[in-house]
């Protein structure tokens, strides 16, 4: 699998800080090579202080597009010339396409999650979801699930800075989609149990359970884990969070955040190249 740089090579990449740990260069460059596309993907450690300058430079240099990660996702939303309907509700972007100097921005995190649901063999359209968390990942998941046709989403969050932002999010979802979104205090255990009892899927989109704090789990009452409940986590490190472990032991079908990560990249790949990322080979090499 050779990869030559030519005078026509189209540049894509990742802006954020830190970025050196990212798996995105591996998956995109492997995809470009496998399809024989004259593209390259590089990482640039750029925080919000220099984002505007970097983006202006990339634009005049005629790059094909780029991803952005923390802490740049919200500011990039402001800098874009045009944003997708999902990104407009979310208020943050992770993928930008440079179309002849016009920067079109998207948020593919939620799309990645919804593809991961399908990949795990589930169909949650028209069903109810209980979502833990109201931060960046939760906002993207909630918005895309609502746009794709999930019937209702109950968001449970602690009363931190994300809670107030989520009040606006559920309002935007209720105004712009057919989904019924509601926000609850995570401390309200009775309502949480009732919501899970009425849901097809329970999703953890908080950082609780992520390494190194792998002993943490937001669900204490294991009675909520009935056999036909799907339990998913956006966390991929560890591969099996305590939440997924507990749910699996009770017979639930579970999946982690690994394929959300893969498919958010696959969606960006399609936006830049117009081609499907060869996910089978990339899964085998980097996601198994
Ligand atoms: P964020 O900082 O925007 O949000 C963090 C969320 O966790 C908030 O809702 C916050 O209220 C909640 N939280 C934190 N501590 C809590 C506690 N003690 N109790 C209850 N809730 C608590 O972060 P983010 O970008 O949304 O990332 C959240 C997780 O999602 C991380 O583990 C991240 O690695 C993962 N993630 C995965 C993908 C993927 O592609 N699979 C993409 C983005 C983020």
């Amino acid at each position: 699998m050779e990869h030559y740089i030519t005078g026509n090579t189209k540049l894509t990449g990742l802006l954020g800080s830190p970025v050196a740990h990212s798996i995105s260069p591996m998956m995109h460059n492997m995809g470009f090579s496998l399809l024989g596309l004259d593209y390259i993907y590089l990482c640039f450690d750029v925080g919000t202080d220099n984002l505007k300058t970097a983006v202006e430079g990339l634009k005049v240099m005629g790059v094909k597009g780029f991803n952005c990660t923390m802490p740049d996702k919200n500011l990039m939303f402001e800098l874009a010339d045009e944003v997708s309907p999902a990104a407009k509700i979310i208020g943050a972007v992770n993928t930008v396409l440079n179309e002849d100097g016009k920067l079109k921005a998207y948020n593919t995190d939620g799309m990645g999650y919804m593809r991961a649901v399908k990949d795990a063999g589930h169909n949650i359209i028209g069903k109810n979801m209980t979502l833990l968390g109201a931060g960046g990942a939760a906002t993207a998941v909630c918005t895309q699930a609502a746009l794709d046709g999930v019937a209702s989403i109950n968001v449970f969050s602690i009363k931190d800075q994300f809670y107030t932002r989520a009040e606006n999010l559920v309002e935007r979802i209720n105004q712009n989609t057919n989904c019924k979104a509601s926000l609850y205090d995570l401390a309200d255990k009775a309502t949480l149990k009732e919501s899970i009892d009425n849901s097809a899927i329970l999703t953890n989109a908080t950082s609780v359970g992520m390494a190194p704090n792998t002993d943490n789990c937001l669900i204490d009452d294991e009675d909520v884990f009935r056999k036909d409940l799907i339990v998913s986590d956006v966390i991929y490190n560890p591969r099996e969070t305590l939440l997924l472990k507990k749910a699996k032991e009770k017979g639930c079908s579970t999946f982690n955040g690994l394929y959300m990560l893969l498919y958010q990249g696959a969606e960006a790949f399609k936006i830049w190249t117009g081609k499907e990322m060869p996910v089978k080979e990339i899964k085998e090499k980097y996601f198994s």
Side-chain angles (χ1 to χ4, degrees):
M1 198 171 49
E2 304 277 0
H3 200 133
Y4 297 104
I5 307 288
T6 72
N8 289 315
T9 302
K10 294 183 178 64
L11 178 64
T12 62
L14 175 65
L15 303 181
S17 189
V19 287
H21 64 285
S22 173
I23 196 172
S24 293
M26 277 79 98
M27 66 168 142
H28 284 288
N29 288 321
M30 184 175 176
F32 298 148
S33 292
L34 286 171
L35 298 186
L37 298 171
D38 193 5
Y39 283 67
I40 191 88
Y41 187 104
L42 299 173
C43 282
F44 302 98
D45 197 309
V46 177
T48 47
D49 287 354
N50 292 315
L51 185 65
K52 192 169 189 287
T53 312
V55 166
E56 278 168 3
L58 292 171
K59 192 166 158 174
V60 297
M61 283 156 56
V63 304
K64 187 68 190 175
F66 50 91
N67 285 134
C68 56
T69 186
M70 297 314 288
D72 296 338
K73 288 179 168 185
N74 298 94
L75 180 56
M76 191 57 232
F77 174 85
E78 306 291 334
L79 298 174
D81 296 310
E82 206 178 293
V83 296
S84 70
K88 203 167 188 173
I89 298 174
I90 297 165
V93 301
N94 75 333
T95 301
V96 177
L97 173 70
N98 181 14
E99 213 172 57
D100 303 322
K102 187 173 177 189
L103 298 183
K104 290 186 168 181
Y106 305 79
N107 193 313
T108 67
D109 284 331
M111 295 159 102
Y113 176 78
M114 291 304 284
R115 265 180 86 172
V117 174
K118 273 195 203 143
D119 193 296
H122 306 297
N123 178 4
I124 58 168
I125 306 310
K127 300 185 181 159
N128 302 329
M129 173 186 243
T130 298
L131 183 63
L132 308 177
T139 303
V141 167
C142 190
T143 302
Q144 196 63 46
L147 285 169
D148 285 1
V150 167
S152 84
I153 305 172
N154 290 333
V155 179
F156 288 82
S157 168
I158 53 171
K159 294 247 175 162
D160 59 3
Q161 76 272 25
F162 295 105
Y163 191 92
T164 326
R165 274 179 28 189
E167 285 174 331
N168 297 326
L169 173 71
V170 295
E171 209 174 294
R172 287 198 298 279
I173 287 177
N174 289 328
Q175 278 166 4
N176 292 286
T177 75
N178 293 323
C179 175
K180 170 88 186 78
S182 311
L183 175 65
Y184 300 98
D185 185 349
L186 184 61
D188 182 353
K189 299 292 178 199
T191 307
L192 176 61
K193 179 166 183 348
E194 193 186 331
S195 174
I196 298 172
D197 286 347
N198 292 316
S199 292
I201 186 162
L202 165 68
T203 302
N204 176 45
T206 74
S207 45
V208 177
M210 188 172 76
N213 302 312
T214 53
D215 290 340
N216 296 346
C217 173
L218 289 177
I219 303 291
D220 313 314
D221 178 4
E222 296 189 18
D223 287 345
V224 300
F225 297 130
R226 46 172 224 282
K227 281 198 169 55
D228 67 340
L229 179 72
I230 308 160
V231 180
S232 76
D233 209 315
V234 300
I235 294 172
Y236 48 86
N237 179 21
R239 297 285 196 264
E240 188 173 67
T241 56
L242 184 55
L243 171 73
L244 296 189
K245 185 170 181 284
K246 284 183 182 181
K248 202 165 155 189
E249 278 167 7
K250 293 281 181 179
C252 301
S253 168
T254 62
F255 65 94
N256 64 25
L258 210 53
Y259 288 174
M260 171 179 174
L261 180 66
L262 169 69
Y263 288 123
Q264 63 74 31
E267 293 296 330
F269 189 93
K270 196 156 66 182
I271 287 167
W272 298 324
T273 67
K275 308 254 188 274
E276 288 292 341
M277 180 184 258
V279 288
K280 187 174 169 286
E281 293 86 344
I282 293 171
K283 267 182 185 176
E284 277 165 17
K285 179 137 176 128
Y286 295 113
F287 290 83
S288 53

